[in-house]
Amino acid sequence: MPITGDRPFRFRSLPLPKLTALLTLPSPALPTSPALPSLSALPALPSLAALHAKAAGRISLALLKSTVLEVAIFAGHLALYPSGVTQERRTAPLQPPPDAPRLPRDGRPPVLLLHGFIDNRSVFVLLRRALAQDGGRRVESLNYSPLTCDIRTAAELLGRHVEELCERTGHRRVDIVGHSLGGLIARYYAQRLGGDVRVRTLVTLGTPHAGTRVAPLADAHPIVRQMRPGSAVIEELKEPAPDCRTQFVCFWSDLDQIMDPRESACVDHPDLLAQNIQVTGIGHLALPVHPAVANGIRQALDLANPGADARENPGGLTVA
């Protein structure tokens, strides 16, 4: 321990006793101390290897449960897939009779659901029910063609549908929930095509915002190549976007096998107002299905300023 002071230390030599006198000095009585326990009697502490094995066991169990859930969801989705092949029928809101009492209009924007790669609107059966259960919120889903080969073209088609939805419902803006590729299409529309005028909040579920390296053999499909790190589309989304008004809420899972790396499902852009929410315990297919995630989406859409309000309370979501 360092010692500081203004006055320097001076050492003085003290006279030493004669050796014969030293030998005759009485020995001081040392205090007795209780006997220390032997090492064998001490409780065994867990080794680093044991702790690592325990943690790996927990991860393996969580991965096993997540995989079983993914298989079950995939099987159920295959059964529902034919029901979502056709485009959803569009209907204008029912107008009340002229003499009916005027109720306050729900100020929440309509919600548009956008599915992922080689999928259709049937993936949102449970999420749609969860978002509409409190009444008042209008929820629609959109199918884009499975033959879509360009994210930019799909984003332009999304823009035309959003304009039609706003005209039909009388709302100036909409909220979008996009799963996987659907979130990337919606982000391109909002960030690169001026869609932030229409999109208030974009919620993405397992969307490769920074690109994913999974399944290299799938590069034969051009839209998969656009979802790779370093692709022209991913690089465009890194460009400055200082005027983008859309707020982003991004759910990403620690067990998402489609995202490589996992954090590629987060939005990391200095100009975008975004919150990234980690989901623990489920995989890619479970994100638009799990009730806990649906509840988190509903809460995010109910906020006046989802990105800003959520940033004050960053956190994760453990669902399994």
Side-chain angles (χ1 to χ4, degrees), residues 53-69:
K54 188 176 180 181
R58 285 198 299 266
I59 294 173
S60 299
L61 180 59
L63 183 59
L64 177 61
K65 291 170 61 178
S66 169
T67 303
V68 171
L69 181 60

Side-chain angles (χ1 to χ4, degrees), residues 194-281:
D196 60 310
V197 176
R198 292 298 191 191
V199 182
R200 183 192 70 134
T201 304
L202 172 57
V203 177
T204 65
L205 310 172
T207 290
H209 291 286
T212 177
R213 296 188 294 263
V214 77
L217 296 179
D219 282 353
H221 199 293
I223 209 166
V224 173
R225 294 197 296 271
Q226 290 184 335
M227 290 190 286
R228 296 301 190 200
S231 73
V233 169
I234 298 298
E235 292 303 310
E236 279 187 63
L237 294 175
K238 293 180 181 179
E239 294 180 8
D243 301 322
C244 185
R245 286 158 283 190
T246 298
Q247 302 186 68
F248 297 83
V249 180
C250 309
F251 290 83
W252 67 283
S253 174
D254 62 339
L255 297 179
D256 190 334
Q257 299 298 323
I258 303 300
M259 296 298 107
D260 182 19
R262 306 284 193 267
E263 293 78 7
S264 63
C266 300
V267 165
D268 182 14
H269 193 294
D271 295 331
L272 301 181
L273 187 58
Q275 187 212 10
N276 299 303
I277 301 175
Q278 179 179 357
V279 182
T280 302

Side-chain angles (χ1 to χ4, degrees), residues 68-190:
V68 171
L69 181 60
E70 290 284 285
V71 171
I73 291 172
F74 181 73
H77 188 37
L78 281 180
L80 289 173
Y81 192 92
S83 67
V85 170
T86 59
Q87 197 69 264
E88 182 178 324
R89 294 181 60 186
R90 310 298 177 192
T91 58
L94 295 176
Q95 297 298 326
D99 57 345
R102 294 290 181 180
L103 298 176
R105 180 180 174 181
D106 187 356
R108 293 175 298 181
V111 180
L112 183 62
L113 308 176
L114 200 59
H115 62 79
F117 180 57
I118 316 181
D119 209 340
N120 61 38
R121 60 188 178 87
S122 63
V123 72
F124 293 120
V125 168
L126 297 179
L127 178 59
R128 180 171 186 163
R129 185 181 305 168
L131 294 179
Q133 68 182 4
D134 54 351
R137 180 185 276 124
R138 185 177 182 86
V139 183
E140 294 187 1
S141 53
L142 173 66
N143 275 359
Y144 56 87
S145 171
L147 301 178
T148 299
C149 293
D150 183 59
I151 288 176
R152 303 176 186 89
T153 302
E156 292 173 359
L157 294 173
L158 172 62
R160 291 200 285 271
H161 183 82
V162 168
E163 291 294 331
E164 186 270 336
L165 177 60
C166 288
E167 181 179 357
R168 181 160 38 87
T169 61
H171 285 269
R172 291 178 50 251
R173 308 189 80 186
V174 303
D175 292 333
I176 297 179
V177 179
H179 180 225
S180 196
L181 173 61
L184 200 61
I185 292 172
R187 179 182 173 185
Y188 194 93
Y189 164 62

